[in-house]
């Protein structure tokens, strides 16, 4: 009797663990974001990618983060807490008073559309077109559509 | 769209040759090649110039020790080349990569060290191209040519390999979709965060890198670059990297060998 009860208790515990475990696993792997198509019209991408709305505060963080936008590696930006700004690209201070939103979006998404020899990475290019890409980045854009819109929203605050 | 309206056609026609020239310029050899040394801070230069301060000299010493270590067949590198390397063919060291008639392809100085290691010393082969012992030996050997100009010859049988290396230099790769040329032809002297971009020459290699505190061979550096722009790094010693080494030596021909240099 005792043995049987213990067996039941043990199997119930195992079942519980399995359910919890799979829930945790499911949470760790969110479904990959779809790749949204975009269209260049008159040197600009006027429509927000995927129709998303950007968050400027988050965009500022992405601009600094090495593994995200890392914009300051090449651009001078009004982000004073960062000691070192690169100067490979043009300064982005006051960029919103020089360029329209759609033009800024195009430069981030894929500057090569208008300047084929640029060093500026395309942060939202069709990932099927990469050459010799590292395994962990296969099939992925550099930033997600939401992150692109966040950075655009942040840059639009630099007037 | 204004740019290509009919009244601007004449302007475009005038600009086109200029743009073409720009495209050709993409693959030039440097008229005024500058060693990476000139892009370093005065402190780092001083570190390189003083043999007691230069951490790369420790690797030279390691190489020297291996150079006179007796193999099972009673031979050392020094048996042929002199224990202090004084019988090494200095002119030859400056010419690598050279064309090997036996292998029918270019070989690097490191390849030659592996060949001697296996065939002359009959040591158990080093499995990796970038075995630390091979790096140390290469550092010691190339240090013997310190101050001599890089003198690779691409007019003979190496021409097609040079062309392949040039194509690789200009081919975009990785998720960030960059090629060597984008940093090292367009933007030497510019800053990438705190780091100053150089023309990307090879005259200081194997070189002590402050970034990882050890002596790095040229192919290790290629791997680090490619990894950084999120490309799948190729194997050290692979054909593509040997061709690239050839091309980079060619565009930096005439620069003085600084092995072991100190670089960021």
């Amino acid at each position: 009797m005792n043995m049987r009860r213990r067996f039941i208790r043990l199997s119930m515990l195992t079942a519980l663990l399995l359910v919890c475990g799979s829930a945790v696993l499911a949470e760790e792997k969110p479904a990959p974001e779809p790749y949204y198509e975009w269209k260049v019209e008159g040197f600009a991408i006027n429509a927000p990618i995927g129709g998303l709305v950007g968050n400027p505060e988050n965009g500022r963080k992405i601009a600094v983060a090495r593994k995200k936008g890392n914009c300051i590696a090449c651009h001078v930006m009004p982000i004073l807490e960062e000691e070192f700004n690169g100067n490979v690209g043009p300064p982005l201070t006051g960029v919103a008073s020089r360029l329209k939103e759609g033009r800024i979006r195009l430069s981030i998404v894929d500057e090569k559309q208008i300047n084929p020899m640029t060093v500026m990475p395309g942060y939202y290019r069709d990932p099927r077109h990469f050459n010799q890409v590292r395994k962990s980045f296969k099939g992925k854009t550099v930033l997600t559509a939401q992150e692109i819109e966040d950075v655009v929203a942040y840059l639009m605050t630099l007037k | 769209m204004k740019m290509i309206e009919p009244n601007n056609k004449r302007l475009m026609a005038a600009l086109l040759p200029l743009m073409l020239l720009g495209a050709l310029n993409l693959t030039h050899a440097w008229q005024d090649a500058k060693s990476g040394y000139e892009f370093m801070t005065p402190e780092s230069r001083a570190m390189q110039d003083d043999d007691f301060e230069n951490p790369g000299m420790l690797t030279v010493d390691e190489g020297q020790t291996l150079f006179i270590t007796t193999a099972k067949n009673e031979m050392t590198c020094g048996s042929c080349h002199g224990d202090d390397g004084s019988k090494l063919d200095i002119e030859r060291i400056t010419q690598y990569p050279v064309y090997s008639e036996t292998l029918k392809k270019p070989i690097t100085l490191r390849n030659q060290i592996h060949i001697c290691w296996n065939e002359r010393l009959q040591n158990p082969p080093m499995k990796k191209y970038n075995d630390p012992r091979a790096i140390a030996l290469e550092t010691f050997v190339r240090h013997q040519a310190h101050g001599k100009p890089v003198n690779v010859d691409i007019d003979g049988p190496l021409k097609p390999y040079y062309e392949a290396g040039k194509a690789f230099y200009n081919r975009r790769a990785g998720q960030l979709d960059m090629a060597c040329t984008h940093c090292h032809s367009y933007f030497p002297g510019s800053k990438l965060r705190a780091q100053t971009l150089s023309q990307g020459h090879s005259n200081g290699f194997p070189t002590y890198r402050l970034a990882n505190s050890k002596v790095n061979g040229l192919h290790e550096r290629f791997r680090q670059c490619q990894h950084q722009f999120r490309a799948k790094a190729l194997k050290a010693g692979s054909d593509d990297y040997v061709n690239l080494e050839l091309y980079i030596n060619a565009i930096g021909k005439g620069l003085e060998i600084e092995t072991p240099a100190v670089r960021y």
Side-chain angles (χ1 to χ4, degrees):
Chain A
M1 278 300 272
N2 213 349
M3 276 288 277
R4 198 173 160 191
R5 198 181 282 169
R6 193 185 284 174
F7 176 73
I8 290 169
R9 220 184 268 168
L10 208 82
S11 50
M12 277 173 73
L13 200 76
T14 324
L16 194 77
L17 269 175
L18 271 174
V19 170
C20 290
S22 55
V24 166
L25 275 182
E27 217 170 302
E28 270 180 7
K29 274 191 183 172
E33 197 196 61
Y35 173 72
Y36 300 105
E37 298 289 336
W38 40 265
K39 215 168 90 190
V40 183
E41 293 167 298
F43 300 105
I45 301 174
N46 292 311
I49 311 290
L52 298 166
V53 179
N55 170 351
E57 274 170 42
N58 203 29
R60 189 179 193 272
K61 285 180 200 152
I62 293 165
V64 176
R66 278 170 195 273
K67 291 191 172 168
K68 290 287 186 183
N70 200 15
C71 308
I72 63 164
C74 292
H75 298 278
V76 171
M77 298 179 90
I79 298 179
L80 298 179
E81 69 270 23
E82 288 293 326
E83 194 181 350
F84 298 111
N85 288 211
N87 59 3
V88 169
L92 296 179
T93 309
V95 67
S97 54
R98 299 192 295 275
L99 301 176
K100 292 194 174 130
E101 185 185 307
R103 175 67 181 74
I104 292 177
R105 185 176 290 109
L106 172 61
S107 277
I108 303 170
V109 166
D110 192 7
E111 170 77 5
K112 282 184 279 287
Q113 296 286 330
I114 46 176
N115 177 6
M117 303 218 284
T118 187
V119 61
M120 171 78 179
Y123 284 85
Y124 201 78
R125 293 178 77 215
D126 190 335
R128 284 171 302 179
H129 297 162
F130 293 133
N131 165 43
Q132 200 193 319
V133 71
R134 220 159 97 198
K135 215 175 175 184
S136 45
F137 295 106
K138 256 188 191 149
K140 292 177 192 159
T141 51
V142 184
L143 295 179
T144 64
Q146 183 61 57
E147 287 165 340
I148 294 284
E149 288 310 317
D150 291 349
V151 174
V152 172
Y154 166 61
L155 291 180
M156 287 309 290
T157 67
L158 304 183
K159 293 216 159 123
Chain B
M1 280 297 150
K2 257 183 193 162
M3 278 294 284
I4 36 179
E5 271 172 10
N7 54 356
N8 270 336
K9 264 188 185 162
R10 211 178 279 169
L11 177 72
M12 288 298 279
L15 280 177
L16 201 64
L18 273 178
M19 286 158 82
L20 279 174
L21 258 179
L24 289 176
N25 200 32
L26 186 72
T27 54
H28 69 308
W30 289 100
Q31 295 298 309
D32 53 343
K34 281 196 180 108
S35 167
Y37 182 85
E38 302 196 30
F39 297 94
M40 298 300 290
T41 60
E43 294 79 22
S44 309
R45 292 185 199 179
M47 193 185 205
Q48 174 178 324
D49 292 340
D50 184 344
D51 279 358
F52 293 99
E53 288 279 317
N54 184 342
M57 290 309 290
L58 294 173
T59 308
V60 172
D61 290 345
E62 269 171 51
Q64 164 112 60
T65 310
L66 285 164
F67 203 77
I68 50 170
T69 303
T70 316
K72 274 200 181 134
N73 65 359
E74 301 292 316
M75 295 272 286
T76 70
C77 304
S79 313
C80 295
H81 301 299
D83 281 354
D84 53 358
S86 56
K87 289 186 203 158
L88 279 165
D89 185 347
I90 302 296
E91 188 49 39
R92 177 99 170 156
I93 294 172
T94 65
Q95 287 166 355
Y96 278 95
V98 296
Y99 187 75
S100 159
E101 288 295 343
T102 31
L103 296 173
K104 301 283 174 222
K105 62 173 193 175
I107 57 166
T108 62
L109 176 56
R110 184 96 61 88
N111 284 137
Q112 184 56 53
I113 287 166
H114 278 283
I115 292 169
C116 282
W117 182 269
N118 300 340
E119 292 177 5
R120 294 299 173 106
L121 301 182
Q122 292 174 344
N123 275 324
M126 296 185 243
K127 279 187 189 142
K128 284 186 180 163
Y129 180 82
N130 52 356
D131 189 293
R133 291 170 293 176
I135 297 180
L137 278 166
E138 187 191 356
T139 311
F140 169 72
V141 171
R142 205 157 186 242
H143 179 61
Q144 306 310 308
H146 193 281
K148 298 282 185 300
V150 173
N151 191 24
V152 68
D153 174 21
I154 50 156
D155 293 328
L158 288 178
K159 188 79 180 166
Y161 300 95
Y162 162 84
E163 293 295 345
K166 180 167 158 181
F168 191 89
Y169 188 87
N170 290 296
R171 189 181 305 138
R172 290 179 186 271
Q175 195 196 34
L176 300 189
D177 210 30
M178 293 174 184
C180 315
T181 192
H182 289 114
C183 285
H184 298 297
S185 302
Y186 291 180
F187 294 109
S190 293
K191 293 268 188 195
L192 210 58
R193 289 212 188 215
Q195 185 182 358
T196 309
L197 292 169
S198 74
Q199 293 179 352
H201 291 300
S202 57
N203 58 316
F205 278 87
T207 194
Y208 182 83
R209 280 200 72 197
L210 299 161
N212 64 4
S213 322
K214 63 170 188 175
V215 169
N216 296 247
L218 192 56
H219 294 201
E220 287 80 59
R221 191 70 188 92
F222 293 161
R223 282 175 59 80
Q224 292 152 11
C225 272
Q226 290 217 299
H227 188 83
Q228 217 170 10
F229 52 75
R230 301 185 175 181
K232 184 177 179 293
L234 306 179
K235 275 194 174 153
S238 62
D239 289 349
D240 277 330
Y241 281 175
V242 172
N243 295 340
L244 183 59
E245 175 168 349
L246 181 61
Y247 177 69
I248 288 182
N249 275 345
I251 60 175
K253 191 171 173 172
L255 288 174
E256 286 180 8
I257 290 173
E258 293 174 21
T259 311
V262 173
R263 298 284 187 268
Y264 177 74

